[in-house]
Structures are given as C-alpha cells and as structure tokens.
Amino acid sequence: MTRSEEQWRKIKDHPHYLVSNKGNVYSEYKGGLLKQMKDAYGYSQVNLNRRSKKVHRLVAEAFIPNPDKLPEVNHKDEDKNNNQVDNLEWCTSKYNMNYGDVEKRSILSQQSHSTWKIYQYDLNGNLVKVWNSAREADRHGFNRRSVYRCCDGEIKSFKGYIWSRQKKVIVCQTSN
C-alpha cells in the first residue's frame, strides 16, 4: 500500500458504512464522510446507527489482522488523532498502559481532568450550579456523556440546561 493511496473497507456489522486506512469514515446513507467528534478522553469517534464508535478501533478491525484476539488498539506515536493504519497496532491492556511516556500522559490526564469544572445554566443563561466535574454531575442524575456533548457544542442543551466548561459572563442590557 502506498502512503498516498486511500483504501476503503466495509465496517463489520454496519454494511452501509466504510472506513479507510487513513482514518476516514464514509456513510452510504449520507453519501459523504462522517463528522468525527472527540470523546471525553480525546479519541475520535463517529456515530454509526446512533452508536458511538472509536475511529482507531474501526480502522484496526478493518485493516489489521488480530489472530491472537488482542483486546486493545495502541497509537504507536501516542497521537490520538492519528488514526492511519500504519500508526495502529493490536495489543494487551498492560502493553497499552505502559506504552511510551506513561508518566507524562498520567500527569497531563490528571491536570486536564482535575481542571474541568462544569457550569450549569438555565435556558435563559442564568448560572444554576458549578460542578467540580462532569462525573460529579453524573452522580446527581445528569448523564456525563450528554453533559460533555453539550459542552462540546454537539447538542444545545440537556435536561433543560445549558452546560459549559467555561464560566460565561452574561451581559444585561438596561434601558435608559
């Protein structure tokens, strides 16, 4: 396979979708490429028949043999956005956890996750509550994934609230 040649294969259990060796996903229903979104951990994913699927896993399942039935897919260059087939490999959980600069990844993950305050607003833009994390909101009945989808702009509101990772300044206009 040449580096510039994009190859396509049907996605198992989703016959109207194709994945390429370059990490693109095509929908025969829409007649075009699907929009890729990031999950809470930074991995690219697409929706196939209303189910989220990680792009790197779709590429690996379509293009990389897995005779030992290894459970995970590793990004060799540690870039979660590089879903090209030559950057992926099947591996064990232990191998994946210990791959590359584990200490750096751990520190970055802790820093980014610990600073994700979630701001909950009513539909008029009034601040209702500040959550320490989406996980905390999840423990109080607000689905974490839906909160993240709202924060990422995929949906406008969830359960009658607007959610954000940033505190918004509401400008009130007064009449003279």
Side-chain angles (χ1 to χ4, degrees):
M1 165 177 12
T2 63
R3 275 184 102 48
S4 63
E5 184 180 329
E6 190 162 18
Q7 297 179 358
W8 295 89
R9 295 198 179 151
K10 295 261 186 204
I11 296 174
K12 182 183 174 191
D13 299 325
H14 298 279
H16 297 285
Y17 296 93
L18 296 103
V19 65
S20 81
N21 58 328
K22 300 226 178 243
N24 294 310
V25 181
Y26 180 86
S27 167
E28 291 179 344
Y29 294 120
K30 294 183 178 184
L33 295 178
L34 292 181
K35 179 181 176 185
Q36 296 188 17
M37 300 158 286
K38 303 279 185 256
D39 71 4
Y41 301 99
Y43 290 97
S44 297
Q45 63 183 12
V46 292
N47 287 322
L48 305 181
N49 299 326
R50 300 182 188 190
R51 306 262 342 235
S52 293
K53 300 288 184 181
K54 297 213 180 336
V55 174
H56 67 282
R57 187 156 189 98
L58 294 173
V59 172
E61 288 173 346
F63 290 94
I64 304 172
N66 188 9
D68 296 327
K69 307 264 188 269
L70 296 170
E72 294 189 13
V73 179
N74 179 48
H75 288 85
K76 294 176 187 175
D77 68 358
E78 299 185 68
D79 179 358
K80 297 174 184 178
N81 298 310
N82 182 356
N83 294 313
Q84 294 194 37
V85 70
D86 59 356
N87 185 48
L88 305 175
E89 63 184 344
W90 288 103
C91 65
T92 64
S93 298
K94 183 177 181 179
Y95 175 86
N96 208 8
M97 290 293 292
N98 294 317
Y99 187 85
D101 196 345
V102 178
E103 189 174 315
K104 179 181 171 187
R105 276 198 326 269
S106 178
I107 290 168
L108 289 173
S109 177
Q110 289 171 10
Q111 287 173 346
S112 66
H113 284 80
S114 65
T115 60
W116 283 359
K117 289 207 180 289
I118 301 294
Y119 298 88
Q120 178 185 5
Y121 299 89
D122 66 20
L123 295 177
N124 294 319
N126 301 307
L127 182 63
V128 174
K129 183 166 176 72
V130 178
W131 301 90
N132 288 322
S133 65
R135 184 176 301 239
E136 181 186 9
D138 189 70
R139 286 192 297 265
H140 288 84
F142 298 103
N143 178 275
R144 181 177 10 171
R145 176 68 188 124
S146 296
V147 169
Y148 280 132
R149 289 182 66 212
C150 198
C151 289
D152 293 340
E154 293 175 39
I155 57 176
K156 298 218 182 275
S157 64
F158 170 63
K159 281 198 172 181
Y161 297 101
I162 298 167
W163 302 84
S164 175
R165 286 191 185 101
Q166 299 174 348
K167 187 169 185 175
K168 298 178 182 178
V169 177
I170 307 298
V171 179
C172 298
Q173 292 184 345
T174 57
S175 57
N176 291 338

